Coordinates of all heavy atoms in Angstrom, one line a residue:
Chain A
Q152 N -0.7 0.1 -5.6 CA -2.0 -0.4 -5.0 C -3.0 0.7 -4.6 O -4.2 0.5 -4.8 CB -1.7 -1.3 -3.8 CG -2.9 -2.2 -3.4 CD -2.5 -3.2 -2.3 OE1 -1.4 -3.7 -2.2 NE2 -3.5 -3.5 -1.5
I155 N -4.4 1.8 -8.1 CA -5.5 0.9 -8.8 C -6.9 1.0 -8.1 O -7.9 1.1 -8.8 CB -5.1 -0.6 -8.8 CG1 -4.6 -1.1 -7.5 CG2 -3.9 -0.8 -9.8 CD1 -4.5 -2.6 -7.4
S156 N -6.9 1.1 -6.8 CA -8.2 1.2 -6.1 C -8.9 2.5 -6.4 O -10.0 2.5 -6.7 CB -8.0 0.9 -4.6 OG -7.0 1.7 -4.1
L157 N -8.1 3.6 -6.3 CA -8.7 4.9 -6.6 C -9.2 5.0 -8.0 O -10.3 5.5 -8.3 CB -7.7 6.0 -6.3 CG -7.4 6.2 -4.8 CD1 -6.3 7.3 -4.6 CD2 -8.6 6.6 -3.9
L158 N -8.4 4.6 -9.0 CA -8.8 4.7 -10.4 C -10.1 3.9 -10.6 O -10.9 4.3 -11.4 CB -7.7 4.3 -11.3 CG -8.0 4.6 -12.8 CD1 -8.1 6.1 -13.1 CD2 -7.0 4.0 -13.8
T159 N -10.1 2.7 -10.0 CA -11.2 1.8 -10.2 C -12.5 2.5 -9.7 O -13.6 2.4 -10.3 CB -11.0 0.5 -9.5 OG1 -9.9 -0.1 -10.1 CG2 -12.2 -0.5 -9.7
M160 N -12.3 3.2 -8.5 CA -13.5 4.0 -8.0 C -13.9 5.0 -9.0 O -15.1 5.2 -9.2 CB -13.1 4.6 -6.6 CG -12.9 3.7 -5.5 SD -12.3 4.5 -4.0 CE -11.7 3.1 -3.1
Q163 N -15.9 3.3 -11.7 CA -17.2 2.9 -11.2 C -18.1 4.0 -11.0 O -19.3 3.9 -11.3 CB -17.0 2.1 -9.9 CG -16.2 0.8 -10.1 CD -15.9 0.1 -8.7 OE1 -15.9 0.7 -7.7 NE2 -15.6 -1.2 -8.8
S169 N -15.7 -2.3 -13.2 CA -14.3 -2.4 -13.3 C -13.8 -3.1 -11.9 O -14.5 -3.1 -11.0 CB -13.6 -1.1 -13.5 OG -14.3 -0.1 -12.7
V170 N -12.5 -3.5 -12.0 CA -12.0 -4.2 -10.8 C -10.5 -3.9 -10.8 O -9.8 -3.9 -11.9 CB -12.3 -5.7 -10.9 CG1 -11.6 -6.4 -12.1 CG2 -11.9 -6.4 -9.6
S171 N -9.9 -3.7 -9.6 CA -8.5 -3.5 -9.5 C -7.8 -4.8 -9.1 O -8.3 -5.7 -8.4 CB -8.2 -2.5 -8.4 OG -8.5 -3.0 -7.1
L172 N -6.6 -5.0 -9.7 CA -5.7 -6.2 -9.4 C -4.3 -5.8 -9.0 O -3.7 -5.1 -9.8 CB -5.7 -7.2 -10.6 CG -7.0 -7.8 -11.1 CD1 -6.8 -8.7 -12.2 CD2 -7.8 -8.5 -10.0
V209 N -8.0 -3.0 -13.9 CA -7.0 -2.0 -13.5 C -5.9 -2.7 -12.8 O -6.1 -3.2 -11.7 CB -7.6 -0.8 -12.7 CG1 -6.5 0.1 -12.4 CG2 -8.7 -0.2 -13.3
Chain Z
P296 N -17.9 4.6 -2.2 CA -17.0 3.7 -2.9 C -17.3 2.3 -2.6 O -17.7 1.9 -1.5 CB -15.6 4.1 -2.4 CG -15.8 4.9 -1.1 CD -17.2 5.4 -1.2
C297 N -17.0 1.4 -3.6 CA -17.2 0.0 -3.5 C -16.3 -0.6 -2.4 O -15.1 -0.2 -2.3 CB -16.7 -0.6 -4.9 SG -16.1 -2.2 -4.9
K298 N -16.8 -1.5 -1.6 CA -16.1 -2.0 -0.4 C -14.9 -2.7 -0.7 O -13.8 -2.7 0.0 CB -17.0 -2.7 0.5 CG -18.0 -1.9 1.3 CD -18.8 -2.7 2.3 CE -19.8 -1.8 3.0 NZ -20.6 -2.5 4.0
R299 N -15.0 -3.5 -1.8 CA -13.7 -4.3 -2.3 C -12.6 -3.3 -2.5 O -11.4 -3.5 -2.1 CB -14.1 -5.1 -3.5 CG -12.9 -5.9 -4.0 CD -13.0 -6.4 -5.4 NE -11.9 -7.2 -5.8 CZ -10.8 -6.7 -6.4 NH1 -10.7 -5.4 -6.6 NH2 -9.8 -7.4 -6.7
E300 N -12.9 -2.2 -3.2 CA -11.8 -1.3 -3.6 C -11.3 -0.5 -2.4 O -10.1 -0.2 -2.3 CB -12.3 -0.3 -4.7 CG -12.7 -1.0 -6.0 CD -11.6 -1.9 -6.6 OE1 -10.4 -1.6 -6.4 OE2 -11.9 -2.9 -7.2
M301 N -12.3 -0.3 -1.4 CA -11.8 0.4 -0.1 C -10.9 -0.5 0.6 O -9.8 -0.1 1.1 CB -13.0 0.7 0.8 CG -13.7 2.0 0.4 SD -12.7 3.4 0.3 CE -12.4 3.8 2.1
D302 N -11.1 -1.8 0.6 CA -10.2 -2.7 1.3 C -8.8 -2.8 0.6 O -7.8 -2.8 1.2 CB -10.8 -4.1 1.4 CG -11.8 -4.3 2.5 OD1 -12.1 -3.2 3.1 OD2 -12.3 -5.3 2.7
M303 N -8.9 -2.8 -0.8 CA -7.7 -2.7 -1.6 C -6.8 -1.5 -1.2 O -5.6 -1.5 -1.0 CB -8.0 -2.7 -3.1 CG -6.8 -2.7 -4.0 SD -5.9 -4.2 -4.0 CE -6.8 -5.1 -5.3
L304 N -7.5 -0.4 -1.0 CA -6.9 0.9 -0.7 C -6.4 1.0 0.7 O -5.2 1.2 0.9 CB -8.0 2.0 -0.9 CG -7.5 3.5 -0.6 CD1 -6.5 3.9 -1.7 CD2 -8.7 4.4 -0.7
L305 N -7.2 0.7 1.6 CA -6.9 0.8 3.1 C -5.8 -0.2 3.5 O -5.0 0.2 4.3 CB -8.1 0.7 4.0 CG -9.2 1.8 3.8 CD1 -10.3 1.6 4.8 CD2 -8.6 3.2 4.1
S306 N -5.8 -1.3 2.9 CA -4.8 -2.3 3.3 C -3.4 -1.9 3.0 O -2.4 -2.4 3.6 CB -5.1 -3.7 2.7 OG -4.9 -3.5 1.3
F343 N -16.1 -7.8 2.6 CA -15.2 -6.7 2.5 C -15.6 -5.6 3.6 O -16.7 -5.4 3.9 CB -15.3 -6.0 1.1 CG -14.7 -7.0 0.0 CD1 -15.6 -7.5 -0.9 CD2 -13.4 -7.2 0.0 CE1 -15.1 -8.4 -1.8 CE2 -12.9 -8.1 -1.0 CZ -13.8 -8.7 -1.9
V380 N -8.2 -9.2 -1.3 CA -7.7 -8.6 -0.1 C -8.9 -8.1 0.6 O -9.8 -7.4 0.1 CB -6.8 -7.4 -0.5 CG1 -6.4 -6.6 0.7 CG2 -5.6 -7.8 -1.3

Side-chain angles (χ1 to χ4, degrees):
Chain A
Q152 193 172 330
I155 53 171
S156 51
L157 291 176
L158 185 68
T159 301
M160 290 175 198
Q163 290 172 341
S169 44
V170 64
S171 69
L172 299 180
V209 182
Chain Z
C297 156
K298 285 188 179 175
R299 178 191 183 276
E300 299 305 327
M301 277 308 282
D302 280 6
M303 182 67 94
L304 180 66
L305 294 180
S306 63
F343 293 111
V380 177

